[in-house]
């Protein structure tokens, strides 16, 4: 399946002209054409539904574009010790995790919920849930690659965490043992074994841990290929179509007002990533999401570079091979809806690469990018049939796992939309959990 440039998408139809057609109770309108919206569109189209996707920009051009492309099995951000680390890192402008101090009730409430989710008891509930969602999604990624040719060059070679300090390695082994309790397979590797897998690893590496089940892909290639397939299956897409507000009546969203006219679908899926909470506010709903900025730097892949992705553990930087490219991605900045490039953090990512795998740093630059992850405080997404509006489904808050969980989210949303019992119990994924 050829990958298309994001700017190539045509506007199919004219929403203003097709206004009457859009007032169609069998139609389902998806707000947001990122990995989540496109996965929803594909699985809904498979069920024979009439689907329209609208996006204020181009499909897949926001957070789903330049991320690390890791398909992880279980990676909760909220874990014991995260709050004290965050406080320590706040004083460091080059740290991997940063909360910009500001007066915001929403941020305070988010941090309070985050701190609750960091308690061991809650983290132990999150790990198996994320594991089950991720494993189900991994199977769907494999299916999409094998049956539909939609792979984004999907590869399952695991993830190699590499460490530079003894203390880091010990903490990594402790974490791996925790995951082993939940039947997530890992191998602890000595320096020789790490260098066997990654000959370019710096002599300062102390060891590694191989998470065997993880996969990786090129996220933009994946989204574009799946969008292309969804269109072949009849999905309508309207890029450059921004939602301005909603009309509601009788516990229903009756119209979605956009820059290209009104849509009056039978059902609506809110999948607008980091923008979801402000759109939800228009519906008087509280969707507990904070935008969390991260950066990636993509360079030409050095000759002979191994196909396994790395996590430079202490620095929290991912190094993902994507065919002829190599991508370094990291940092998590809770600084609001803010898109500036912070040069110090970009330099910190590059310095980490130089310290762990010096050779990778030397190659020709392709692109520097930043994106806003839609983060819930407990690292779990929100996938629910709204309690307030009977024709609204919310699918957002995937944080660091949108690519990993895209396919299972799409499938679950298609099951909710058609009134089927979802494959996975969704009771822990509702917005009510934050109230
Ligand atoms: C540095 C970095 C590394 C990452 N690495 C990984 C990784 O390795 N693995 C992984 O699984 N995840 C990773 N992620 C997270 C992943 O990128 C996100 O979880 C995912 O992209 C979220 O997808 P989405 O569809 O919800 O949001 P987006 O891709 O942001 O899509 C939302 C869409 O909604 C549209 N929209 C917003 N408002 C409106 C409106 N008013 N009207 C119409 N449209 C609107 C936007 O234009 C946008 O296209 C990473 C993120 C970052 C920043």
């Amino acid at each position: 399946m050829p990958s298309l440039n994001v700017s190539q998408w045509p506007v199919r139809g004219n929403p203003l002209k097709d206004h009457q057609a859009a007032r169609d109770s069998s139609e389902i309108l998806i707000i947001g054409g990122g990995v989540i919206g496109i996965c929803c569109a594909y699985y809904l189209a498979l069920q024979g539904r009439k689907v329209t996707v609208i996006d204020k920009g181009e499909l897949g051009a926001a957070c789903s574009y330049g991320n690390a492309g890791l398909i992880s099995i279980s990676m909760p951000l909220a874990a014991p010790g995260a709050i004290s680390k965050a406080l320590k890192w706040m004083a460091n402008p080059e740290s991997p995790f940063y909360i910009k101090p500001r007066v915001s009730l929403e941020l305070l409430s988010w941090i309070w919920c985050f701190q609750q989710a960091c308690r061991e008891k809650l983290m132990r509930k999150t790990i198996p849930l994320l594991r089950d969602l991720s494993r189900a999604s991994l199977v769907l990624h494999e299916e999409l690659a094998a049956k539909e040719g939609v792979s984004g060059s999907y590869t399952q070679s695991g993830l190699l965490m590499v460490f530079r300090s003894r203390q880091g390695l010990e903490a990594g082994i402790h974490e791996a043992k925790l995951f082993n309790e939940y039947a997530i397979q890992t191998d602890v590797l000595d320096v020789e074994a790490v260098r066997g897998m990654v000959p370019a690893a710096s002599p300062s590496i102390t060891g590694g841990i191989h998470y065997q089940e993880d996969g990786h892909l090129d996220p933009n290639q994946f989204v574009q290929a799946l969008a292309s397939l969804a269109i072949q299956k009849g999905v309508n897409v309207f890029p450059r179509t921004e939602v301005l507000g909603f009309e509601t009546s009788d516990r229903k969203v009756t119209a979605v007002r956009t820059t290209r006219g009104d849509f009056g679908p039978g059902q609506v899926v809110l999948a607008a990533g980091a923008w979801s909470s402000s759109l939800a506010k228009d519906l008087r709903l509280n969707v507990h999401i904070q935008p969390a900025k991260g950066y990636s730097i993509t360079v030409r892949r050095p000759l002979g570079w191994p196909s396994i992705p790395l996590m430079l553990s202490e620095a929290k930087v991912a190094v993902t091979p994507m065919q002829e490219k190599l991508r370094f991605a990291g940092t998590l900045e809770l600084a609001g809806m803010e898109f500036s490039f912070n040069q110090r953090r970009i330099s910190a990512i590059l310095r980490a690469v130089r310290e762990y795998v010096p050779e990778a740093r030397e190659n020709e630059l392709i692109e520097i990018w930043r994106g806003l992850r839609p983060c819930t405080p407990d690292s779990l997404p929100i996938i629910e049939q709204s309690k307030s509006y009977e024709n609204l489904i919310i699918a957002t808050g995937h944080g660091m796992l949108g690519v990993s969980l895209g396919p299972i989210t799409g499938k679950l949303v298609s099951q909710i939309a058609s009134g089927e019992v979802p494959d996975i119990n969704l009771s822990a994924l509702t917005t009510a959990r934050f109230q």
Side-chain angles (χ1 to χ4, degrees):
M1 175 97 22
S3 105
L4 298 177
N5 187 298
V6 286
S7 61
Q8 285 176 300
W9 292 118
V11 173
R12 272 187 36 165
N14 175 350
L16 288 174
K17 191 167 126 268
D18 297 346
H19 187 266
Q20 287 311 314
R23 287 201 178 278
D24 178 348
S25 62
S26 69
E27 180 172 351
I28 185 151
L29 179 76
I30 300 174
I31 303 173
V35 67
I36 301 302
I38 295 300
C39 285
C40 292
Y42 168 76
Y43 284 99
L44 284 161
L46 275 194
Q47 288 190 333
R49 295 295 302 267
K50 191 170 168 198
V51 185
T52 298
V53 180
I54 54 175
D55 196 293
K56 71 189 177 91
E58 304 295 339
L59 297 191
C63 196
S64 303
Y65 175 77
N67 61 67
L70 302 175
I71 317 238
S72 311
I73 289 301
S74 187
M75 289 271 168
L77 173 66
I83 280 283
S84 55
K85 258 192 217 158
L87 288 175
K88 199 174 78 192
W89 277 336
M90 272 174 83
N92 178 0
E94 296 185 356
S95 62
F97 182 30
Y98 176 70
I99 302 175
K100 184 178 173 187
R102 60 194 193 279
V103 183
S104 154
L105 269 182
E106 281 159 21
L107 177 65
L108 282 177
S109 155
W110 191 96
I111 292 173
W112 190 83
C113 292
F114 178 67
Q115 178 239 321
Q116 298 293 312
C118 286
R119 286 155 51 189
E120 174 144 3
K121 199 170 154 203
L122 278 185
M123 182 198 66
R124 281 183 177 274
K125 279 191 179 160
T126 303
I127 293 175
L129 239 165
L130 275 183
R131 176 203 59 197
D132 293 349
L133 283 165
S134 305
R135 279 197 180 136
S137 213
L138 203 94
V139 170
L140 296 176
H141 269 294
E142 279 164 7
E143 223 174 80
L144 283 169
K147 290 195 191 149
E148 302 274 32
V150 175
S151 72
S153 307
Y154 170 78
T155 313
Q156 198 196 5
S157 48
L159 171 74
L160 180 60
M161 299 222 168
V162 288
F163 299 86
R164 285 186 78 228
S165 65
R166 285 265 141 230
Q167 205 189 4
L169 181 59
E170 275 159 27
I173 293 172
H174 180 75
E175 190 180 65
K177 282 186 179 151
L178 172 73
F179 287 136
N180 296 160
E181 287 178 40
Y182 296 91
I184 295 169
Q185 304 297 321
T186 58
D187 267 340
V188 178
L189 306 179
D190 62 15
V191 183
E192 289 311 303
V194 171
R195 289 180 71 80
M197 288 169 96
V198 187
S202 150
S204 64
I205 297 297
T206 54
I209 299 172
H210 185 203
Y211 281 71
Q212 296 153 7
E213 288 178 69
D214 295 20
H216 66 281
L217 47 69
D218 179 327
N220 184 45
Q221 227 186 67
F222 173 75
V223 173
Q224 300 307 325
L226 191 60
S228 184
L229 182 63
I231 288 171
Q232 280 171 33
K233 292 191 182 298
V235 171
N236 280 308
V237 297
F238 295 107
R240 305 176 290 285
T241 305
E242 180 166 355
V243 173
L244 302 173
F246 302 91
E247 280 166 31
T248 61
S249 149
D250 253 355
R251 300 188 65 244
K252 279 195 175 159
V253 178
T254 47
V256 178
R257 284 188 285 109
T258 82
T259 48
R260 289 171 189 261
D262 292 357
F263 289 77
Q267 280 172 299
V268 178
V269 178
L270 178 61
W275 293 265
S276 301
S277 48
S278 63
L279 283 170
K281 258 191 215 153
D282 279 355
L283 290 165
R284 297 170 302 283
L285 298 176
N286 188 4
V287 170
H288 239 62
I289 284 175
Q290 280 291 317
K293 189 165 46 173
Y295 302 92
S296 72
I297 301 130
T298 307
V299 299
R300 219 158 276 294
R301 182 174 174 181
L303 273 179
W305 191 267
S307 64
I308 188 164
L310 310 176
M311 179 60 72
L312 314 182
S313 294
E314 291 90 344
K316 310 242 174 293
V317 170
V319 178
T320 317
M322 297 175 184
Q323 290 168 300
E324 76 290 354
K325 297 179 289 186
L326 190 63
R327 179 166 293 162
F328 319 131
T331 79
L332 197 144
E333 263 178 71
L334 292 175
M337 290 304 278
E338 197 277 312
F339 286 90
S340 64
F341 284 92
N342 180 327
Q343 198 52 53
R344 290 189 76 169
R345 285 186 201 281
I346 293 168
S347 302
I349 292 175
L350 291 174
R351 192 169 41 256
V353 172
R354 205 177 303 126
E355 286 167 354
Y356 287 75
V357 276
E359 186 192 315
R361 172 68 192 88
E362 306 306 323
N363 272 44
E364 183 197 334
L365 175 70
I366 296 175
E367 189 174 11
I368 299 176
W369 170 89
R370 46 70 181 102
L372 296 181
R373 306 170 182 91
C375 281
T376 60
D378 61 1
S379 316
L380 289 167
I382 296 165
I383 305 173
E384 72 166 351
Q385 163 63 60
S386 162
K387 297 279 173 293
S388 308
Y389 300 97
E390 41 189 70
N391 63 342
L392 174 71
I393 298 169
I394 304 175
T396 188
H398 292 75
M400 309 197 298
L401 295 169
V403 179
S404 308
L405 302 182
I408 189 63
T409 302
K411 189 165 184 206
L412 291 168
V413 164
S414 73
Q415 291 171 332
I416 298 173
S418 62
E420 286 170 36
V421 178
D423 283 353
I424 290 179
N425 182 342
L426 300 177
S427 56
L429 306 184
T430 65
T431 43
R433 71 190 192 262
F434 304 119
Q435 275 146 27

mmCIF file of all heavy atoms in Angstrom, residues 135-161:
data_model
loop_
_atom_site.group_PDB
_atom_site.id
_atom_site.type_symbol
_atom_site.label_atom_id
_atom_site.label_comp_id
_atom_site.label_asym_id
_atom_site.label_seq_id
_atom_site.Cartn_x
_atom_site.Cartn_y
_atom_site.Cartn_z
ATOM 1 N N ARG A 135 -1.947 -6.001 23.935
ATOM 2 C CA ARG A 135 -1.806 -7.292 23.226
ATOM 3 C C ARG A 135 -2.883 -7.439 22.166
ATOM 4 O O ARG A 135 -2.617 -7.876 21.045
ATOM 5 C CB ARG A 135 -1.891 -8.451 24.222
ATOM 6 C CG ARG A 135 -0.559 -8.669 24.914
ATOM 7 C CD ARG A 135 -0.497 -10.037 25.566
ATOM 8 N NE ARG A 135 0.804 -10.199 26.207
ATOM 9 C CZ ARG A 135 0.984 -10.700 27.416
ATOM 10 N NH1 ARG A 135 -0.050 -11.102 28.134
ATOM 11 N NH2 ARG A 135 2.190 -10.819 27.909
ATOM 12 N N ALA A 136 -4.120 -7.041 22.516
ATOM 13 C CA ALA A 136 -5.209 -7.141 21.534
ATOM 14 C C ALA A 136 -4.901 -6.238 20.336
ATOM 15 O O ALA A 136 -5.149 -6.599 19.186
ATOM 16 C CB ALA A 136 -6.522 -6.735 22.190
ATOM 17 N N SER A 137 -4.314 -5.068 20.612
ATOM 18 C CA SER A 137 -4.006 -4.132 19.531
ATOM 19 C C SER A 137 -2.873 -4.664 18.656
ATOM 20 O O SER A 137 -2.881 -4.499 17.439
ATOM 21 C CB SER A 137 -3.627 -2.771 20.130
ATOM 22 O OG SER A 137 -4.030 -1.736 19.287
ATOM 23 N N LEU A 138 -1.897 -5.301 19.308
ATOM 24 C CA LEU A 138 -0.765 -5.871 18.567
ATOM 25 C C LEU A 138 -1.248 -6.926 17.564
ATOM 26 O O LEU A 138 -0.802 -6.973 16.414
ATOM 27 C CB LEU A 138 0.212 -6.500 19.564
ATOM 28 C CG LEU A 138 1.623 -6.657 19.093
ATOM 29 C CD1 LEU A 138 2.456 -5.466 19.532
ATOM 30 C CD2 LEU A 138 2.255 -7.917 19.674
ATOM 31 N N VAL A 139 -2.219 -7.739 18.005
ATOM 32 C CA VAL A 139 -2.778 -8.758 17.106
ATOM 33 C C VAL A 139 -3.436 -8.071 15.910
ATOM 34 O O VAL A 139 -3.272 -8.492 14.763
ATOM 35 C CB VAL A 139 -3.799 -9.646 17.881
ATOM 36 C CG1 VAL A 139 -4.574 -10.537 16.932
ATOM 37 C CG2 VAL A 139 -3.082 -10.466 18.950
ATOM 38 N N LEU A 140 -4.148 -6.957 16.185
ATOM 39 C CA LEU A 140 -4.814 -6.244 15.085
ATOM 40 C C LEU A 140 -3.790 -5.583 14.164
ATOM 41 O O LEU A 140 -3.972 -5.551 12.943
ATOM 42 C CB LEU A 140 -5.792 -5.200 15.633
ATOM 43 C CG LEU A 140 -6.967 -5.781 16.438
ATOM 44 C CD1 LEU A 140 -7.822 -4.661 17.021
ATOM 45 C CD2 LEU A 140 -7.838 -6.685 15.571
ATOM 46 N N HIS A 141 -2.685 -5.059 14.742
ATOM 47 C CA HIS A 141 -1.617 -4.498 13.902
ATOM 48 C C HIS A 141 -1.091 -5.596 12.970
ATOM 49 O O HIS A 141 -0.878 -5.359 11.778
ATOM 50 C CB HIS A 141 -0.466 -3.984 14.780
ATOM 51 C CG HIS A 141 -0.592 -2.538 15.172
ATOM 52 N ND1 HIS A 141 -0.526 -1.506 14.269
ATOM 53 C CD2 HIS A 141 -0.778 -1.945 16.375
ATOM 54 C CE1 HIS A 141 -0.661 -0.341 14.896
ATOM 55 N NE2 HIS A 141 -0.824 -0.581 16.178
ATOM 56 N N GLU A 142 -0.888 -6.796 13.540
ATOM 57 C CA GLU A 142 -0.375 -7.905 12.707
ATOM 58 C C GLU A 142 -1.363 -8.248 11.609
ATOM 59 O O GLU A 142 -0.987 -8.468 10.460
ATOM 60 C CB GLU A 142 -0.118 -9.134 13.585
ATOM 61 C CG GLU A 142 1.208 -9.042 14.310
ATOM 62 C CD GLU A 142 1.325 -10.039 15.457
ATOM 63 O OE1 GLU A 142 0.431 -10.899 15.613
ATOM 64 O OE2 GLU A 142 2.307 -9.928 16.205
ATOM 65 N N GLU A 143 -2.645 -8.256 11.981
ATOM 66 C CA GLU A 143 -3.696 -8.580 11.019
ATOM 67 C C GLU A 143 -3.748 -7.540 9.904
ATOM 68 O O GLU A 143 -3.838 -7.886 8.725
ATOM 69 C CB GLU A 143 -5.021 -8.546 11.779
ATOM 70 C CG GLU A 143 -5.962 -9.682 11.464
ATOM 71 C CD GLU A 143 -7.154 -9.593 12.400
ATOM 72 O OE1 GLU A 143 -8.072 -8.781 12.149
ATOM 73 O OE2 GLU A 143 -7.131 -10.333 13.398
ATOM 74 N N LEU A 144 -3.654 -6.265 10.284
ATOM 75 C CA LEU A 144 -3.696 -5.191 9.279
ATOM 76 C C LEU A 144 -2.525 -5.318 8.318
ATOM 77 O O LEU A 144 -2.658 -5.104 7.116
ATOM 78 C CB LEU A 144 -3.646 -3.816 9.965
ATOM 79 C CG LEU A 144 -4.945 -3.341 10.604
ATOM 80 C CD1 LEU A 144 -4.714 -2.117 11.486
ATOM 81 C CD2 LEU A 144 -5.965 -3.011 9.511
ATOM 82 N N ALA A 145 -1.357 -5.678 8.877
ATOM 83 C CA ALA A 145 -0.172 -5.807 8.025
ATOM 84 C C ALA A 145 -0.317 -7.008 7.101
ATOM 85 O O ALA A 145 -0.077 -6.920 5.896
ATOM 86 C CB ALA A 145 1.075 -5.937 8.900
ATOM 87 N N ALA A 146 -0.767 -8.153 7.667
ATOM 88 C CA ALA A 146 -0.794 -9.392 6.877
ATOM 89 C C ALA A 146 -1.951 -9.413 5.887
ATOM 90 O O ALA A 146 -1.778 -9.762 4.722
ATOM 91 C CB ALA A 146 -0.882 -10.598 7.818
ATOM 92 N N LYS A 147 -3.145 -9.005 6.332
ATOM 93 C CA LYS A 147 -4.329 -9.170 5.467
ATOM 94 C C LYS A 147 -4.586 -7.972 4.574
ATOM 95 O O LYS A 147 -5.089 -8.106 3.477
ATOM 96 C CB LYS A 147 -5.576 -9.405 6.331
ATOM 97 C CG LYS A 147 -5.577 -10.762 7.017
ATOM 98 C CD LYS A 147 -6.972 -11.056 7.532
ATOM 99 C CE LYS A 147 -6.930 -12.266 8.461
ATOM 100 N NZ LYS A 147 -7.928 -12.194 9.500
ATOM 101 N N GLU A 148 -4.294 -6.770 5.085
ATOM 102 C CA GLU A 148 -4.666 -5.569 4.331
ATOM 103 C C GLU A 148 -3.449 -4.863 3.736
ATOM 104 O O GLU A 148 -3.597 -3.873 3.042
ATOM 105 C CB GLU A 148 -5.412 -4.574 5.247
ATOM 106 C CG GLU A 148 -6.675 -5.139 5.889
ATOM 107 C CD GLU A 148 -7.902 -4.982 4.980
ATOM 108 O OE1 GLU A 148 -7.743 -5.034 3.747
ATOM 109 O OE2 GLU A 148 -8.992 -4.810 5.523
ATOM 110 N N GLY A 149 -2.254 -5.325 4.090
ATOM 111 C CA GLY A 149 -1.048 -4.659 3.593
ATOM 112 C C GLY A 149 -0.836 -3.293 4.233
ATOM 113 O O GLY A 149 -0.078 -2.464 3.734
ATOM 114 N N VAL A 150 -1.548 -3.023 5.354
ATOM 115 C CA VAL A 150 -1.368 -1.736 6.047
ATOM 116 C C VAL A 150 -0.414 -1.971 7.196
ATOM 117 O O VAL A 150 -0.787 -2.436 8.260
ATOM 118 C CB VAL A 150 -2.709 -1.220 6.622
ATOM 119 C CG1 VAL A 150 -2.487 0.047 7.447
ATOM 120 C CG2 VAL A 150 -3.675 -0.933 5.504
ATOM 121 N N SER A 151 0.843 -1.686 7.000
ATOM 122 C CA SER A 151 1.798 -2.077 8.028
ATOM 123 C C SER A 151 2.559 -0.882 8.583
ATOM 124 O O SER A 151 2.961 -0.887 9.734
ATOM 125 C CB SER A 151 2.794 -3.080 7.457
ATOM 126 O OG SER A 151 3.673 -2.430 6.569
ATOM 127 N N GLY A 152 2.780 0.169 7.770
ATOM 128 C CA GLY A 152 3.697 1.217 8.221
ATOM 129 C C GLY A 152 5.049 0.599 8.505
ATOM 130 O O GLY A 152 5.759 1.006 9.410
ATOM 131 N N SER A 153 5.376 -0.469 7.729
ATOM 132 C CA SER A 153 6.627 -1.228 7.926
ATOM 133 C C SER A 153 6.694 -1.807 9.345
ATOM 134 O O SER A 153 7.729 -1.776 10.005
ATOM 135 C CB SER A 153 7.853 -0.351 7.666
ATOM 136 O OG SER A 153 7.745 0.240 6.424
ATOM 137 N N TYR A 154 5.546 -2.329 9.802
ATOM 138 C CA TYR A 154 5.458 -2.933 11.135
ATOM 139 C C TYR A 154 6.491 -4.058 11.300
ATOM 140 O O TYR A 154 6.634 -4.924 10.448
ATOM 141 C CB TYR A 154 4.041 -3.489 11.322
ATOM 142 C CG TYR A 154 3.883 -4.348 12.539
ATOM 143 C CD1 TYR A 154 3.753 -3.768 13.791
ATOM 144 C CD2 TYR A 154 3.874 -5.737 12.439
ATOM 145 C CE1 TYR A 154 3.616 -4.558 14.925
ATOM 146 C CE2 TYR A 154 3.727 -6.532 13.561
ATOM 147 C CZ TYR A 154 3.604 -5.929 14.793
ATOM 148 O OH TYR A 154 3.470 -6.711 15.909
ATOM 149 N N THR A 155 7.221 -4.011 12.402
ATOM 150 C CA THR A 155 8.212 -5.047 12.710
ATOM 151 C C THR A 155 8.049 -5.414 14.177
ATOM 152 O O THR A 155 7.839 -4.527 15.008
ATOM 153 C CB THR A 155 9.660 -4.491 12.550
ATOM 154 O OG1 THR A 155 9.733 -3.793 11.321
ATOM 155 C CG2 THR A 155 10.712 -5.586 12.571
ATOM 156 N N GLN A 156 8.147 -6.688 14.490
ATOM 157 C CA GLN A 156 8.083 -7.050 15.906
ATOM 158 C C GLN A 156 9.423 -7.639 16.326
ATOM 159 O O GLN A 156 9.662 -8.829 16.222
ATOM 160 C CB GLN A 156 6.956 -8.043 16.176
ATOM 161 C CG GLN A 156 6.610 -8.061 17.652
ATOM 162 C CD GLN A 156 5.798 -9.262 18.073
ATOM 163 O OE1 GLN A 156 5.560 -10.157 17.287
ATOM 164 N NE2 GLN A 156 5.409 -9.279 19.341
ATOM 165 N N SER A 157 10.316 -6.737 16.774
ATOM 166 C CA SER A 157 11.621 -7.231 17.222
ATOM 167 C C SER A 157 11.842 -6.924 18.696
ATOM 168 O O SER A 157 12.926 -7.067 19.215
ATOM 169 C CB SER A 157 12.730 -6.590 16.370
ATOM 170 O OG SER A 157 12.533 -5.205 16.270
ATOM 171 N N GLY A 158 10.781 -6.499 19.374
ATOM 172 C CA GLY A 158 10.917 -6.161 20.786
ATOM 173 C C GLY A 158 11.479 -4.760 20.960
ATOM 174 O O GLY A 158 11.635 -4.007 19.997
ATOM 175 N N LEU A 159 11.758 -4.440 22.218
ATOM 176 C CA LEU A 159 12.338 -3.130 22.552
ATOM 177 C C LEU A 159 13.514 -3.388 23.484
ATOM 178 O O LEU A 159 13.393 -4.168 24.436
ATOM 179 C CB LEU A 159 11.287 -2.285 23.286
ATOM 180 C CG LEU A 159 11.791 -0.973 23.906
ATOM 181 C CD1 LEU A 159 12.040 0.060 22.812
ATOM 182 C CD2 LEU A 159 10.772 -0.412 24.900
ATOM 183 N N LEU A 160 14.645 -2.767 23.185
ATOM 184 C CA LEU A 160 15.822 -2.952 24.047
ATOM 185 C C LEU A 160 16.034 -1.700 24.895
ATOM 186 O O LEU A 160 16.310 -0.625 24.371
ATOM 187 C CB LEU A 160 17.062 -3.223 23.185
ATOM 188 C CG LEU A 160 18.364 -3.428 23.949
ATOM 189 C CD1 LEU A 160 18.266 -4.622 24.914
ATOM 190 C CD2 LEU A 160 19.543 -3.640 22.988
ATOM 191 N N MET A 161 15.848 -1.870 26.211
ATOM 192 C CA MET A 161 16.135 -0.748 27.115
ATOM 193 C C MET A 161 17.614 -0.805 27.432
ATOM 194 O O MET A 161 18.109 -1.860 27.845
ATOM 195 C CB MET A 161 15.376 -0.924 28.417
ATOM 196 C CG MET A 161 13.895 -0.949 28.233
ATOM 197 S SD MET A 161 13.212 0.025 29.549
ATOM 198 C CE MET A 161 11.563 0.211 29.054
#
